[in-house]
Amino acid sequence: MADDRTQVQDFFSARAADWDSRFPDDGPAFAVAVGELGLRPGGAVLDAGCGTGRALAALRAAVGPGGTVLGADLTPAMLDAARRVGKAAGGTLLLADAARLPLRAGSLDAVFAAGLISHLPHPGQGLSELARVVRPGGRLALFHPIGRAALAARHGRVLSDDDLRAEPRLTPLLADAGWRLDTYTDEDSRFLALAVRTG
């Protein structure tokens, strides 16, 4: 696990400084996805693998000034980048592994996770940890600002049903971790899987 964590940190540390400038047009897609999470004023939400904080402002707007917004990331350089551009104003940033969160069980209403699942060394365990910190009936959004086919093309890969985000693979993975897949969208312009915490 330590080697996996180090690889993720190395990958994102090298890209943190110019991450937002590489994807300057993603903001509206993040805001739309956050809107579909169904957050209410006063709610508590975690941006798991928050990176440079691209979802924090939309999450803050959804829960309002009385709500709680947490952003957790494994890579200090990504959190530093979020602070440098003022995105930390949207929530409290935590240096934390999404697979071992320093949060009480059932303390959140929802988790937003953009691009996270493919970077979890053990996706089932990571999704179980996200379920642990969300109350029953709470929500999870697995999001990416482009769909699976577009992302595979960007990385020079062929789209495969072995992809963790393929619906036939994701549905049982979520179920085993304590989630029920509610809606699934995989278009060129975005990927969004919304799930509900069971139990």
Side-chain angles (χ1 to χ4, degrees), residues 152-170:
R154 177 187 286 174
H155 294 294
R157 292 184 284 107
V158 175
L159 187 61
S160 164
D161 286 339
D162 288 338
D163 180 355
L164 285 170
R165 290 163 296 187
E167 189 173 7
R169 183 140 185 235
L170 184 61

Side-chain angles (χ1 to χ4, degrees), residues 39-163:
L39 294 167
R40 295 181 181 164
V45 61
L46 169 69
D47 185 355
C50 68
T52 59
R54 294 190 292 169
L56 294 178
L59 292 169
R60 171 55 65 201
V63 300
T68 300
V69 177
L70 304 172
D73 204 275
L74 183 63
T75 307
M78 293 297 261
L79 296 175
D80 289 344
R83 288 184 188 100
R84 266 195 312 276
V85 296
K87 291 183 184 170
T92 300
L93 298 182
L94 307 170
L95 179 62
D97 185 343
R100 288 189 300 245
L101 293 164
L103 301 172
R104 290 188 332 270
S107 59
L108 301 173
D109 297 303
V111 173
F112 184 83
L116 176 71
I117 191 169
S118 61
H119 295 287
L120 292 172
H122 306 286
Q125 291 175 11
L127 290 170
S128 292
E129 175 65 355
L130 297 181
R132 181 188 71 78
V133 300
V134 172
R135 64 170 174 76
R139 311 258 291 164
L140 168 68
L142 299 176
F143 170 71
H144 201 283
I146 60 174
R148 292 173 53 240
L151 187 62
R154 177 187 286 174
H155 294 294
R157 292 184 284 107
V158 175
L159 187 61
S160 164
D161 286 339
D162 288 338
D163 180 355

Side-chain angles (χ1 to χ4, degrees), residues 3-20 22 50-52 73-82 84 95 119:
D3 288 343
D4 293 324
R5 287 169 48 101
T6 301
Q7 287 176 359
V8 169
Q9 286 175 322
D10 289 348
F11 177 87
F12 285 106
S13 291
R15 294 162 174 80
D18 69 342
W19 188 261
D20 288 352
R22 292 174 63 202
C50 68
T52 59
D73 204 275
L74 183 63
T75 307
M78 293 297 261
L79 296 175
D80 289 344
R84 266 195 312 276
L95 179 62
H119 295 287

